[in-house]
Amino acid sequence: MTTTTRISDAFVPDRWYDWMNVDTTTKTALFTSGVLQSNPEVAALLGGGGRTMNMPFWKDMSDDEPGIASDDPAVESVAEKLTSGKDVCRRQLRTHSVSVADLTPVLTGGDPLTRLREASSRFWERHFQRTFVHHLTGLFTDNSTNDSGDMINDISNDDATTATSAELVSAEAVIDAQHTMGDKNNVFSVIMMHSDVQKRLKKLNLIDFLPDSNGQVMFESYLGLRIIVDDGCRKLTVAAGDTTNRSKYWTYLAAPGAAVWAESPTATPAEVKREPAQGNGMGVETIYMRRQYVMHVPGIKWTDTSVAGEFPSYADLKNVSNHDRVYAERKQIPLALLITNG
């Protein structure tokens, strides 16, 4: 007689959380590329209470010319005042559940727990990547609105004619985006783009391949930047029949550590519920997952001005009113945005 292994037979909540945590940090491109880096100080803040957490920082000194030494006792040095600022990050708590009928593994074979882990890993990978992209949408919109767009290179255009090469992604356009960082332009390691932009680079045969740190997995690269492709990257589309506007694509450049990350397990990060009556008595099991974390770009304060629920939705993350740059120097924030027509 064949015996079906149920999820509840092999499910260990603590082990499941460890799996989720390890899979997130070892399989998600934002982590493996180094753009998102764990921060123990933020993790300590996350362990406390509150929706938002304050992150005070010391402001840098000015670039004024130093004084010239003198032997005149009447000439005194005027001390520059060292001041501080306050950055703010936001707690996120997200949940997800998925059900599996006992009949499914009977018909398909395989270990249902392994299949659930693989599917859940891909789900959270996509979620964290989309969360980062939505953060970028909000902070770059704030940059355009309130900081003169000093982190943005916009070569796009609205026109009835076909986009020219000067309005499409190119080495020149990427380099100009990098140089919004001035003499710090070489800090970038990742370029994150929509697949339509990737397609243009492929057609031009401009994509190279870089090995990972172990020399095993090969990553697509452009101008030495590792490519991350996500169709969640902002694409401003035009309505059907619109002949006066064009689609616009947002392509992001990021340096290692451009964003910080911390995760703290909830009291019950995962659990299984069994419903024996469902499936006409065959039974259905549901696994519930909960992730509590912080994802934050240092220097971009979360204002919490407009949040509809207890925790920010994707729409809230994109809302310009929830972001405010508190680092005075553009070079302190190693991110850049390139806007093109393809």
Side-chain angles (χ1 to χ4, degrees):
M1 178 178 175
T2 302
T3 301
T4 300
T5 301
R6 299 190 180 103
I7 296 172
S8 54
D9 294 334
F11 183 82
V12 180
D14 290 343
R15 184 177 297 174
W16 183 270
Y17 174 74
D18 290 340
W19 280 347
M20 289 195 299
N21 202 341
V22 169
D23 285 353
T24 293
T25 55
T26 60
K27 296 181 180 180
T28 306
L30 288 173
F31 286 95
T32 58
S33 66
V35 171
L36 270 178
Q37 293 187 0
S38 297
N39 186 299
E41 294 179 359
V42 176
L45 293 173
L46 185 60
R51 291 181 175 84
T52 60
M53 290 143 280
N54 294 335
M55 304 166 64
F57 62 91
W58 290 106
K59 295 182 180 180
D60 201 1
M61 290 188 291
S62 69
D63 289 328
D64 294 344
E65 182 181 357
I68 298 175
S70 170
D71 60 1
D72 185 348
V75 178
E76 296 184 353
S77 174
V78 178
E80 179 179 353
K81 184 178 181 180
L82 194 60
T83 59
S84 64
K86 184 178 73 174
D87 197 357
V88 179
C89 60
R90 186 55 153 92
R91 182 189 307 271
Q92 277 279 21
L93 211 165
R94 295 288 187 147
T95 65
H96 188 62
S97 57
V98 59
S99 297
V100 176
D102 284 5
L103 186 61
T104 301
V106 174
L107 299 177
T108 62
D111 175 13
L113 194 66
T114 299
R115 298 294 177 266
L116 267 177
R117 179 188 173 183
E118 292 170 349
S120 298
S121 175
R122 291 191 296 270
F123 171 83
W124 289 113
E125 177 182 349
R126 293 192 298 270
H127 165 68
F128 292 129
Q129 201 151 287
R130 293 291 166 86
T131 296
F132 183 67
V133 168
H134 294 319
H135 264 294
L136 295 184
T137 298
L139 74 85
F140 278 118
T141 305
D142 170 70
N143 180 253
S144 175
T145 304
N146 299 312
D147 299 295
S148 304
D150 59 2
M151 300 168 64
I152 303 170
N153 178 33
D154 186 355
I155 62 170
S156 66
N157 192 13
D158 278 329
D159 197 290
T161 60
T162 303
T164 67
S165 59
E167 296 156 345
L168 302 174
V169 65
S170 66
E172 181 179 2
V174 173
I175 290 170
D176 285 342
Q178 291 175 308
H179 275 262
T180 61
M181 283 285 285
D183 56 9
K184 303 293 185 183
N185 62 82
N186 62 346
V187 300
F188 297 108
S189 60
V190 164
I191 183 167
M192 193 171 183
M193 63 184 65
H194 192 281
S195 63
D196 288 349
V197 178
Q198 178 203 31
K199 180 171 67 174
R200 169 171 166 78
L201 295 179
K202 281 186 172 181
K203 287 182 176 180
L204 295 174
N205 197 28
L206 295 176
I207 291 180
D208 296 317
F209 290 88
L210 292 175
D212 67 2
S213 58
N214 297 319
Q216 297 175 347
V217 180
M218 301 296 287
F219 297 112
E220 289 187 341
S221 70
Y222 179 58
L223 297 178
L225 304 171
R226 175 176 169 178
I227 295 174
I228 297 177
V229 179
D230 192 322
D231 283 344
C233 289
R234 196 174 196 197
K235 177 183 178 181
L236 303 176
T237 57
V238 297
D242 187 342
T243 59
T244 60
N245 297 284
R246 298 179 184 153
S247 294
K248 294 184 179 183
Y249 296 87
W250 286 28
T251 298
Y252 311 99
L253 283 73
V260 296
W261 162 268
E263 183 169 8
S264 179
T266 62
T268 308
E271 61 183 309
V272 168
K273 181 180 180 181
R274 178 165 179 77
E275 296 288 354
Q278 293 184 9
N280 199 24
M282 186 66 185
V284 172
E285 292 181 310
T286 301
I287 182 170
Y288 296 87
M289 296 166 279
R290 306 170 183 100
R291 308 292 294 265
Q292 179 178 225
Y293 64 91
V294 166
M295 185 185 294
H296 182 70
V297 175
I300 307 295
K301 180 176 74 174
W302 178 265
T303 66
D304 218 36
T305 299
S306 178
V307 178
E310 290 293 330
F311 302 96
S313 65
Y314 287 161
D316 295 330
L317 295 176
K318 293 187 288 186
N319 191 326
V320 61
S321 67
N322 286 322
H323 303 267
D324 182 39
R325 193 167 95 190
V326 291
Y327 284 2
E329 289 289 330
R330 183 270 173 272
K331 296 177 186 178
Q332 293 177 283
I333 302 175
L335 292 166
L337 170 64
L338 171 63
I339 305 177
T340 67
N341 291 121

